[in-house]
Amino acid sequence: MATNPKVFSARTRLCSFLVLVLLCVVVSAVSPSSASLVFNFYEASCPAAELIVSNTVRSASSSDPTVPGKLLRLVFHDCFVEGCDASVLLQGNGTERSDPGNRSLGGFQVIDSAKRMLEIFCPGIVSCADVVALAGRDAVAITGGPQLQIPTGRKDGRESAAANVRPNIIDTTFTMKEMINIFTAKGLSLEDLVVLSGAHTIGSAHCSAFSDRFQEDSKGKLTPIDASLDGNYANELMKKCPVDASDSVTVFNDPKTSSSFDNQYYRNLAAHKGLFQSDSVLLDDKRTRNLVEDLANDQEKFFQKWSQSFLKLTSIGVKTGEEGEIRQSCSMTLVGEEL
């Protein structure tokens, strides 16, 4: 049956408007601090801010396809520890960045490059915290995911402690209960847990991140521990990550469409091909199984829910006003010293 173009266009505009209204509601409901964030915060003070970040991410990703996954992961590791305040970027002994759980993080050079450009055109205006959030948003968009607006106006934190990392980030070996506890503490729901886990549709992981799913036998070969893991997929992983695998070896989180932000992650879960134990439990647990299956069958639904959950993620514990600062260099506070 033919579709009237005018009707289709009207529906599209209406849907876009309703999504924007919903996002505004989500932002205002996340936390008191997030209420200080506004859309187009830099419209007057640095009109090209978001374009500069977007162009930097796009340029870096064109020469290194691993960049989007690294930038998206950086958002999680920043926002889950001390809130979205770029504390993960600070260098020095005992900082978040120095913790073993953060040593495999990447994308720092992209953030620094965007910040340098912003300091040329708008010195002292755009925070590193906003650069991290915007870069994560753009990483999703350029790999085929939803394009969305996020509010800005975050300030950079002045503190960063390695001791705060492990109690606040999700480990790939976590049980459902452990993940729920951390998400709840951040003001995120069970649905957010399932939806934000979809970030694993891009990016890669070192062999050590899923080594708990295998054991070494008496002959020095790996065998699967988790019987729920698809046999063929388990064999592929053991070939790529044998007992003597180098620490530099990585495996795509999504073996099917590793460079595309799509709902293939959930299809993999439904086929018992989740890379991490923390992925597989989403299918195993009856509280989340139905949503996993729904998202596996409906990419548009995933994109809609991702847009809402990502807004909540990037609004965790934000610092505004006098609570923070605008760094000149993302690796050090305004006093000019690494922590």
Side-chain angles (χ1 to χ4, degrees):
M1 183 175 68
T3 301
N4 187 322
K6 293 183 178 179
V7 173
F8 179 78
S9 178
R11 287 177 178 172
T12 300
R13 290 195 298 270
L14 177 60
C15 288
S16 298
F17 172 74
L18 291 176
V19 168
L20 182 58
V21 170
L22 179 59
L23 295 184
C24 291
V25 172
V26 169
V27 170
S28 63
V30 171
S31 67
S33 59
S34 67
S36 299
L37 300 180
V38 296
F39 291 100
N40 300 314
F41 180 82
Y42 299 108
E43 186 173 17
S45 59
C46 187
E50 295 194 21
L51 180 61
I52 289 173
V53 175
S54 178
N55 286 343
T56 302
V57 171
R58 189 174 297 277
S59 176
S61 301
S62 65
S63 58
D64 181 359
T66 69
V67 163
K70 292 175 180 178
L71 291 175
L72 187 54
R73 186 178 178 219
L74 198 59
V75 174
F76 282 82
H77 282 245
D78 181 36
C79 293
F80 267 56
V81 184
E82 295 296 325
C84 306
D85 65 350
S87 55
V88 73
L89 304 181
L90 292 172
Q91 289 185 312
N93 295 328
T95 60
E96 294 172 30
R97 191 165 170 177
S98 69
D99 184 85
N102 281 338
R103 288 177 186 168
S104 61
L105 290 178
F108 296 106
Q109 292 181 340
V110 181
I111 302 298
D112 290 340
S113 179
K115 177 61 173 174
R116 283 194 298 270
M117 189 64 66
L118 288 165
E119 285 299 302
I120 293 174
F121 289 96
C122 315
I125 299 296
V126 183
S127 69
C128 298
D130 275 341
V131 175
V132 171
L134 290 169
R137 176 199 68 174
D138 295 334
V140 170
I142 67 173
T143 51
Q147 300 184 22
L148 65 147
Q149 282 187 301
I150 62 171
T152 43
R154 299 165 188 78
K155 289 292 184 70
D156 299 323
R158 301 184 180 94
E159 298 180 2
S160 181
N164 293 331
V165 174
R166 294 308 177 93
N168 287 288
I169 61 172
I170 299 293
D171 189 90
T172 55
T173 64
F174 272 11
T175 63
M176 178 65 78
K177 181 179 180 180
E178 290 172 315
M179 290 194 291
I180 289 176
N181 287 342
I182 288 184
F183 268 68
T184 300
K186 309 303 174 187
L188 300 173
S189 66
L190 188 61
E191 178 175 291
D192 293 322
L193 168 56
V194 177
V195 173
L196 291 173
S197 293
H200 289 162
T201 189
I202 58 175
S204 59
H206 290 86
C207 298
S208 58
F210 53 89
S211 60
D212 62 299
R213 312 195 76 180
F214 303 93
Q215 63 183 357
E216 185 177 355
D217 63 19
S218 58
K219 297 181 181 180
K221 293 185 178 181
L222 294 177
T223 57
I225 296 175
D226 188 351
S228 69
L229 190 62
D230 177 81
N232 291 331
Y233 184 52
N235 288 334
E236 290 178 18
L237 293 177
M238 290 186 290
K239 287 180 181 178
K240 294 178 179 178
C241 294
V243 174
D244 58 351
S246 167
D247 292 339
S248 62
V249 175
T250 59
V251 172
F252 290 127
N253 294 340
D254 174 1
K256 294 287 187 178
T257 57
S258 60
S259 60
S260 298
F261 191 94
D262 53 25
N263 68 333
Q264 183 62 47
Y265 165 77
Y266 299 102
R267 295 179 183 179
N268 294 340
L269 292 189
H272 300 280
K273 295 181 180 180
L275 181 60
F276 308 122
Q277 178 62 33
S278 57
D279 291 327
S280 294
V281 295
L282 299 178
L283 180 69
D284 298 337
D285 195 291
K286 63 181 180 181
R287 292 170 293 180
T288 52
R289 183 184 304 123
N290 288 341
L291 182 55
V292 167
E293 293 172 346
D294 286 347
L295 299 181
N297 294 318
D298 191 340
Q299 180 164 285
E300 183 178 351
K301 183 175 183 178
F302 169 47
F303 283 4
Q304 291 173 346
K305 289 189 176 296
W306 171 268
S307 298
Q308 299 167 29
S309 294
F310 187 75
L311 275 174
K312 293 174 68 175
L313 168 66
T314 52
S315 297
I316 296 174
V318 297
K319 296 173 177 61
T320 57
E322 298 302 317
E323 297 174 318
E325 62 186 21
I326 304 294
R327 298 179 203 151
Q328 292 180 334
S329 171
C330 290
S331 63
M332 61 182 65
T333 60
L334 275 182
V335 295
E337 297 179 356
E338 295 182 349
L339 297 183

